[in-house]
Amino acid sequence: MTALYSWDAEVPEGLKDPVLIVALDGWIDAGYGAAAAVGHLKAQIRTNRLITFDIDELIDQRARRPVMRLVNGVNESLKWPRLQIRHGRDTVGQDILVLTGPEPDFRWHGFVRAVMEISEELNVRLCVGFGAFPAPAPHTRSVTLGSTATTIELAERVGFIESAFEIPGGIQAAIERGFADAGKPAVGIWARVPHYVATMPYPAASAAIVDCLTRLTGLVVDTQDLHARGHSAFAQIEQLVAGNPEHLEMIRNLEAQVDAEAVQRAGARSTGESFDSGNLPTGDELAAELEKFLREQ
């Protein structure tokens, strides 16, 4: 059987219990929260290519076509998509592996087996996935996080939605199951991004993801730049909605919904009861007009 990956470098000297970050393109990423989070990590931590996966085996090139550089009618080069694992160390020398590139189109089971094989060889201590999804949440409240995890203890450290439901899964979910089946810890950090900014960059989501990563793993990553960009985005959104009373009212309604959820969850935890969100207004209804307005802007 064709090998799905090749080593581009020797195992780094002194590699010890690395954290594996999974942030692949092609699945849900509202506000570009995951993409900007991993971009920030790679900007803060110098990384070198360690492993490259075979895109001919894993990627549909007609869905993700290479980019041609055309100069005066001459085809000078093709830039192909890359699916790779990179290695770096934070400012105190802790090891980090970053799996980036397009989500595979084919051979998911084989890809997960390859990731697990690599993780075993490199003694990965924790796998952390990044994601962001649109939610009925106002930009005037702090970003809250949800989790997909291999254990309830890990889920509790991030936060989770108290319910049971079935949804389509991405390759990150398949990798998490691979870690679970191997008895190893994995967790997905999912930022809740306001519906109405889901198609715009929302740096506050990226900052929340990276801050959570540092709390979970002890990695040292400076997020001041992300938070500053989040403040700038907040000011821009405020400016856009300030002149429209209807949009301001919808945001107030979203605030009331989120605050009511927080109160009900706190009460449920104190009494041991389950949280029922069925009586709360839907965020889709409240945010639809505002989302349309901001997209036009």
Side-chain angles (χ1 to χ4, degrees):
M1 183 177 293
T2 303
L4 291 185
Y5 65 93
S6 59
W7 291 83
D8 298 307
E10 298 290 334
V11 175
E13 185 177 353
L15 182 75
K16 182 179 179 182
D17 303 331
V19 173
L20 173 63
I21 307 299
V22 178
L24 299 176
D25 307 332
W27 191 223
I28 303 169
D29 190 17
Y32 307 97
V38 74
H40 182 78
L41 275 182
K42 290 164 72 174
Q44 291 285 314
I45 299 174
R46 179 181 176 183
T47 62
N48 297 300
R49 191 169 69 245
L50 184 62
I51 292 170
T52 297
F53 290 89
D54 187 346
I55 60 170
D56 283 343
E57 291 292 322
L58 296 168
I59 303 301
D60 178 358
Q61 302 291 3
R62 291 192 301 176
R64 296 181 176 88
R65 295 180 185 273
V67 177
M68 176 176 63
R69 176 174 171 78
L70 188 64
V71 179
N72 297 328
V74 178
N75 179 352
E76 290 198 339
S77 65
L78 281 178
K79 184 177 180 180
W80 295 89
R82 291 181 177 178
L83 182 56
Q84 56 189 218
I85 293 178
R86 303 182 67 87
H87 167 262
R89 290 189 169 106
D90 69 5
T91 55
V92 296
Q94 298 178 96
D95 289 289
I96 181 173
L97 303 171
V98 185
L99 172 56
T100 60
E103 182 182 58
D105 297 300
F106 312 115
R107 299 185 63 178
W108 278 29
H109 290 290
F111 180 71
V112 171
R113 285 194 295 271
V115 171
M116 293 310 303
E117 182 178 278
I118 294 165
S119 298
E120 288 281 353
E121 182 167 352
L122 301 181
N123 197 32
V124 168
R125 63 181 168 102
L126 176 66
C127 175
V128 182
F130 290 172
F133 63 96
H139 70 280
T140 52
R141 296 291 184 268
S142 298
V143 174
T144 57
L145 301 172
S147 64
T148 53
T150 53
T151 66
I152 187 61
E153 291 79 14
L154 271 174
E156 287 175 341
R157 292 181 65 186
V158 177
F160 58 91
I161 299 172
E162 299 179 24
S163 60
F165 49 91
E166 295 183 354
I167 56 173
I171 194 65
Q172 181 178 314
I175 293 172
E176 285 173 7
R177 286 308 314 162
F179 272 79
D181 293 342
K184 293 183 175 295
V187 61
I189 304 172
W190 290 84
R192 300 179 66 188
V193 174
H195 280 72
Y196 48 91
V197 294
T199 59
M200 310 175 187
Y202 195 65
S206 306
I209 290 171
V210 179
D211 284 341
C212 184
L213 170 72
T214 62
R215 292 195 302 271
L216 284 175
T217 64
L219 290 169
V220 179
V221 183
D222 186 352
T223 58
Q224 287 184 348
D225 177 58
L226 277 179
H227 283 287
R229 286 157 53 194
H231 294 320
S232 296
F234 175 87
Q236 291 172 350
I237 297 167
E238 286 283 283
Q239 205 171 27
L240 285 171
V241 303
N244 193 308
E246 292 182 4
H247 298 150
L248 291 172
E249 178 62 21
M250 280 189 286
I251 290 175
R252 301 294 87 82
N253 288 337
L254 283 170
E255 291 173 338
Q257 174 182 324
V258 168
D259 293 344
E261 286 180 359
V263 170
Q264 288 195 35
R265 284 197 176 94
R269 279 193 290 268
S270 65
T271 61
E273 299 174 353
S274 61
F275 169 63
D276 179 13
S277 62
N279 294 324
L280 295 175
T282 69
D284 288 337
E285 295 172 350
L286 295 171
E289 183 182 347
L290 184 54
E291 180 180 1
K292 179 176 181 294
F293 168 74
L294 289 180
R295 279 181 176 175
E296 291 172 351
Q297 300 307 302

